Amino acid sequence: MAGGRRRGERLADAADARLPVNDGAGPLLRKAFPDHWSFLLGELALYSLIVLVLTGVWLTFFFEPGMREVVYTGSYAPLRGVRMSEAFASTIDISFAVRGGLLIRQLHHWAALVFVAAIGVHLLRVFFTGAFRRPREANWLIGVTLLVLALAEGFAGYSLPDDLLSGTGLRIAQGIMLSLPVVGTYVALFAFGSQYPGHDLVPRLYGLHILLLPGALLGLVTVHLVLVFFLKHTQWRAPGRTNANAVGNPMYPQFTASSGGLSLAVFGLLAALAGVAQVNPVWQYGPYRPDIVSTGSQPDWYVGFLEGALRLVPPWETTVAGHTVMWNVLLPAVVLPGLFFGVLYAYPFVEQRLTGEGSHEQHLCDRPRERPVRTGLGVAGITFYGVLVLAGGNDVVAATFRVSVNALTWILRIALVLGPVVAFFVTRALCHALLRAERARLAEGEETGEVRQTLAGGYEGGHRPVTSFRPGAPRVPLSPPSRPGGRTGTPSPERRAPESRNR
């Protein structure tokens, strides 16, 4: 028995010499992961992407990316005899003639919606907790780029069926291209291959949708995960947690079990949505015709802000040397998105330059209330985005509530300018109020509900020491800001901890 055990140990040592599994996998399996739910938001995007890839590969077996006109003779009776493109006909066949096709189509669409939403919410978590600071600026840039690619990938896939709704979106995209000064006509001809709508756009979008954009997404996700492992996770402040360590559950078995359970929950929820919640019923819209636009047309939510911006900008045009500059399209559809994503890319470097934090690493998360200015800016941005999304459906809102669409448009224009400003100041004031209340709670203790009469004849409430704390909450009274508008409420000792990247 002993000889057999020694022989097995020698074989294991020989195998490890050829492929050092124990030496390489040991630190990886012991890597610490935070146990707070907010750190799982990025995994929602990852598992949604897995569903997208699997269902997308299945759909490629049946989809025909052609714009040649055919007469539909398939199983969906209301459309028989209608002239349509090969792309639309194959989409109808997938929905009604292929076993399980409609379920997979809707699963793919729901996964796309959740994927974009998960990236956005994950970026918000990183923004409000300051997890974009050194040494994670590169991961923030990758995250914003993933959001841009996810928007482009979603729009490309949304446009492939060549139905009336997606065709309307492509017509808007062509108008945006034409709004580019001087080069607009050439860009539109390059994209569509000829005069609109042409016969090349769907095949070109198909190549982008199944090859180029997914490859870029998978590559950036891989780099993102590698950087997460190398740089270690951020964590909430708590006793024993500093910039020099990482406290949490080991990757195996605790984190693997919880993450695996989350993946099954995501897969199950997406499958349930695909089975009971109808999405993108292209057979109701019909095939695209350039001379028809359906009423109440609404894009998927993630591009609704562009639709709203186009509807809110007045019809401004300028003619210079025989060339017409369409400001009502150029500003909301080209300049505004460029500025928005430019601010997102630059924000980590600007904030660290202004606060002086770019010179040392930050591995502890901020609570949003501790950074009133940053939190106010974030809420202002969310308000700005929300007004644009609401404006993207101003006709539907006006019809539903029986109000004038012109009056609603002017209300939303005013809200777009004043809403973010009001949101910033209200949020900043609320953050300061929360910090003052927390400072008083830590200094005086929690109220017990008992009231006692003092010797002077007055009354005072009873207090007991604070024993329960939320994630990241300080255990000692917070210091007030050293200067007006300065960084508020962060205990300095933990922020001065030695820098290290040990995992």
Side-chain angles (χ1 to χ4, degrees):
M1 180 68 70
R5 185 184 303 111
R6 286 193 296 271
R7 191 179 305 110
E9 291 175 353
R10 287 195 299 271
L11 291 175
D13 292 341
D16 193 61
R18 297 186 182 93
L19 184 63
V21 177
N22 292 333
D23 293 340
L28 178 64
L29 297 179
R30 294 191 299 270
K31 178 177 173 58
F33 284 81
D35 55 0
H36 194 260
W37 65 266
S38 63
F39 293 93
L40 298 176
L41 294 173
E43 295 184 38
L44 295 179
L46 176 62
Y47 296 136
S48 301
L49 179 60
I50 293 175
V51 175
L52 277 172
V53 172
L54 295 177
T55 55
V57 170
W58 189 90
L59 289 171
T60 59
F61 298 149
F62 306 98
F63 181 73
E64 181 63 38
M67 297 188 71
R68 183 174 62 88
E69 194 173 60
V70 298
V71 177
Y72 181 72
T73 58
S75 58
Y76 186 65
L79 288 177
R80 287 177 186 165
V82 176
R83 304 184 69 86
M84 59 184 65
S85 66
E86 292 176 316
F88 187 79
S90 66
T91 304
I92 298 298
D93 286 337
I94 290 173
S95 302
F96 295 102
V98 177
R99 186 179 298 275
L102 182 58
L103 177 67
I104 300 300
R105 261 199 66 232
Q106 298 201 147
L107 179 58
H108 189 73
H109 201 112
W110 275 115
L113 297 177
V114 174
F115 177 60
V116 179
I119 293 178
V121 176
H122 180 57
L123 285 174
L124 287 176
R125 198 278 301 177
V126 172
F127 176 83
F128 283 114
T129 61
F132 53 77
R133 294 169 296 178
R134 182 181 176 185
R136 297 175 181 82
E137 300 96 335
N139 246 357
W140 171 263
L141 299 180
I142 291 174
V144 176
T145 305
L146 284 173
L147 178 60
V148 176
L149 292 177
L151 295 177
E153 174 76 338
F155 181 77
Y158 167 83
S159 303
L160 286 179
D162 197 33
D163 59 282
L164 184 57
L165 185 61
S166 66
T168 302
L170 286 175
R171 185 62 164 174
I172 295 174
Q174 189 230 9
I176 294 172
M177 298 176 191
L178 292 175
S179 72
L180 297 173
V182 182
V183 299
T185 303
Y186 302 100
V187 172
L189 286 175
F190 175 79
F192 290 90
S194 62
Q195 292 295 326
Y196 181 86
H199 293 84
D200 300 329
L201 184 61
V202 167
R204 292 179 179 183
L205 285 177
Y206 186 68
L208 287 175
H209 186 67
I210 70 170
L211 291 176
L212 183 59
L213 293 176
L217 283 169
L218 292 174
L220 286 178
V221 166
T222 302
V223 175
H224 178 75
L225 293 177
V226 169
L227 288 177
V228 167
F229 272 83
F230 176 71
L231 299 173
K232 79 180 183 181
H233 278 278
T234 54
Q235 58 186 345
W236 294 109
R237 284 197 308 270
R241 299 182 182 182
T242 66
N243 273 326
N245 65 4
V247 179
N249 295 325
M251 180 178 178
Y252 182 83
Q254 284 89 342
F255 178 77
T256 303
S258 62
S259 182
L262 178 63
S263 68
L264 296 178
V266 171
F267 299 157
L269 179 59
L270 290 176
L273 285 172
V276 302
Q278 180 174 272
V279 62
N280 199 26
V282 294
W283 56 89
Q284 294 183 6
Y285 309 142
Y288 177 63
R289 286 179 49 182
D291 60 331
I292 296 177
V293 176
S294 59
T295 59
S297 298
Q298 303 292 310
D300 277 343
W301 69 268
Y302 48 84
V303 291
F305 75 101
L306 285 177
E307 177 81 11
L310 286 168
R311 297 188 183 194
L312 289 186
V313 175
W316 294 334
E317 293 182 356
T318 302
T319 301
V320 179
H323 296 278
T324 300
V325 180
M326 300 182 296
W327 300 108
N328 57 324
V329 179
L330 182 66
L331 290 177
V334 179
V335 177
L336 178 63
L339 289 176
F340 175 74
F341 286 104
V343 169
L344 289 181
Y345 278 116
Y347 186 85
F349 307 98
V350 174
E351 182 186 286
Q352 291 184 112
R353 180 67 179 270
L354 295 177
T355 60
E357 292 179 335
S359 59
H360 53 279
E361 295 184 357
Q362 300 285 345
H363 299 292
L364 296 176
C365 290
D366 289 327
R367 293 180 303 157
R369 69 183 64 181
E370 296 173 357
R371 293 299 186 101
V373 174
R374 179 203 295 156
T375 304
L377 290 174
V379 174
I382 294 173
T383 303
F384 187 83
Y385 175 83
V387 173
L388 290 180
V389 171
L390 184 62
N394 62 348
D395 55 338
V396 177
V397 174
T400 302
F401 294 97
R402 299 180 182 276
V403 298
S404 169
V405 68
N406 292 326
L408 180 61
T409 300
W410 273 105
I411 292 173
L412 292 174
R413 286 171 178 170
I414 297 172
L416 187 66
V417 176
L418 298 182
V421 178
V422 174
F424 171 80
F425 286 106
V426 170
T427 302
R428 190 179 65 170
L430 181 61
C431 289
H432 286 296
L434 289 173
L435 287 171
R436 287 193 297 268
E438 188 172 56
R439 192 178 300 119
R441 177 172 174 265
L442 292 173
E444 301 173 5
E446 296 178 330
E447 294 185 357
T448 62
E450 300 176 353
V451 179
R452 297 187 298 271
Q453 186 174 18
T454 64
L455 295 176
Y459 294 91
E460 62 180 14
H463 293 80
R464 60 170 175 264
V466 180
T467 56
S468 60
F469 302 91
R470 294 181 178 180
R475 266 61 173 176
V476 296
L478 296 171
S479 59
S482 58
R483 62 185 186 279
R487 183 178 181 181
T488 307
T490 304
S492 57
E494 291 184 353
R495 294 300 182 182
R496 299 297 183 182
E499 299 176 12
S500 175
R501 200 173 289 164
N502 296 328
R503 295 175 294 281

